[in-house]
Amino acid sequence: MLLTNMTVVTMQGVGYGLIPDAAIAIKAGRIVWVGPVADLPADLASQPRQDLGGRLVTPGLIDCHTHLVFGGNRAREFEMRLEGASYENIARAGGGILSTVKATRKATVDALVAAALPRLDALIAEGVCTVEIKSGYGLTVTSELNMLRAARRLGELRRVRVRTSYLAAHAVPPEYSGRADAYIDEVCIPGLRAAHAEGLVDAVDGFCEGIAFSPDQIARLFDVAAALGLPVKLHAEQLSRLGGTALAARYSALSADHVEYTTEDDAKALAAAGTVATLLPGAFYTLRETQIPPVDAFRRHGVPMALATDANPGSSPLFSPLLAMNMGCTLFRLTPAEALAGTTRTAACALGLDDAGQIAPGMRADLAVWSVETPAELAYPIGFNPLYQRWFNGEPE
Ligand code: DI6
Ligand code: FE
């Protein structure tokens, strides 16, 4: 198959890597050639063609941080925050994450899948081809495994690639109240071994925060992940500075996520470790935070920045990667090119994937075709979706 008559945003090298009047050749789900149509090799020129009408083609989007699988919703908590309660106070009073835990424990795998499908469809409708999905609302071995089984099932029901993260270290459940260490030893670690044995874990995640787990507790879990050969990532420095970013760097994490309270020294450590900083403006917006992640320090030290929805029922009920890009620009002052890199090339790094997020020979043919003229038009509008067509694994829909 040969795609022609488009501008390709390769996301190769620095910036967009634009190729005007381009062609892309696809074979067996992979890109085999991309370049100006004038340079097309003769053997490819005779392939069946699809004319894309002068549109813009980017890599299929990658949402590298979501909590798409959960039971219930937190609309009441939204109202409580508007009445003056804070996110942390609600959490400490047993609401917040723990209220979603109650609903998630009651749900069957089928019910979790059914509830998550429309959320996943919202991402797909905006050109998402790869999505990361975390556990973390079960907090028992069985319920965490069920969340991951639901995530895997979603990847079978839709034409999308799902990468799972095991996030049992998300909150201390009521039955372990005041005994976070015992929870790590008795649930998180055995649950990780069980989930890994079932092939359910692509990465291990944690929430390093005053309302969740300390760096030492997370480190014990990460030691087990390392022994199992699993990569790690971490919710770090979202609401306060506990040293989670430095911990993530020490374990050569794929990513440190949120990172609002990360410092310049932390940025240096991330750069040295090759760890991505994943920015989550949906949570910043929802919680009306004021501490902006140190984007300038990340730039100065060459820390790659990813950008994701953090789609979840509490701190970031955001199911639009395009709006995440707009928020990344407006709230965090990313350039539109950084925002697009954050949802393509760098998002792939944050998931440890080397075959997605760029348009180049050897990459998966996951593409998003947009009815726009320039790539900045993706991040610029609010609540408008210019997706024309999505290609997944070399097939259009
Ligand atoms: N940080 C987040 O943004 C989500 N989890 C986390 O550790 C929020 C989860 C929730 O509020 O339900
Ligand atoms: Fe999160």
Side-chain angles (χ1 to χ4, degrees), residues 102-312:
K102 245 184 237 160
T104 302
R105 284 180 176 179
K106 278 192 210 135
T108 61
V109 174
D110 286 347
L112 291 174
V113 169
L117 271 176
R119 299 169 200 139
L120 177 61
D121 287 340
L123 303 184
I124 288 172
E126 293 191 358
V128 167
C129 291
T130 299
V131 59
E132 184 258 18
I133 302 179
K134 301 175 194 300
S135 69
Y137 292 119
L139 313 186
T140 63
V141 173
T142 309
S143 193
E144 287 292 303
L145 264 61
N146 281 344
M147 288 189 70
L148 295 171
R149 290 175 186 133
R152 287 277 190 248
R153 181 94 57 83
L154 290 167
E156 291 157 11
L157 293 173
R158 289 294 185 269
R159 301 182 59 227
V160 70
R161 179 154 59 155
V162 170
R163 302 293 287 179
T164 56
S165 298
Y166 175 81
L167 179 60
H170 193 198
V172 181
E175 62 275 17
Y176 278 93
S177 182
R179 297 188 297 131
D181 282 302
Y183 173 70
I184 295 278
D185 294 334
E186 292 167 21
V187 178
C188 288
I189 291 173
L192 174 57
R193 294 187 195 284
H196 177 58
E198 208 177 303
L200 293 171
V201 185
D202 296 323
V204 177
D205 198 349
F207 189 19
C208 187
E209 192 58 66
I211 54 172
F213 298 94
S214 70
D216 284 350
Q217 289 160 345
I218 297 290
R220 282 198 285 123
L221 177 66
F222 280 6
D223 285 336
V224 178
L228 296 173
L230 290 168
V232 300
K233 44 181 51 245
L234 189 62
H235 288 69
E237 262 83 66
Q238 178 188 5
L239 307 168
S240 62
R241 184 162 188 280
L242 288 193
T245 309
L247 177 79
R250 212 173 331 121
Y251 281 83
S252 302
L254 293 173
S255 65
D257 300 41
H258 288 287
V259 294
E260 272 84 345
Y261 287 85
T262 287
T263 63
E264 175 115 24
D265 280 347
D266 291 331
K268 286 184 201 162
L270 290 178
T275 297
V276 169
T278 298
L279 309 183
L280 304 169
F284 176 90
Y285 166 86
T286 300
L287 302 182
R288 303 179 77 228
E289 297 291 337
T290 51
Q291 175 86 17
I292 292 176
V295 167
D296 273 334
F298 294 149
R299 285 184 185 126
R300 260 198 313 279
H301 298 291
V303 179
M305 290 180 278
L307 184 67
T309 59
D310 195 14
N312 76 60

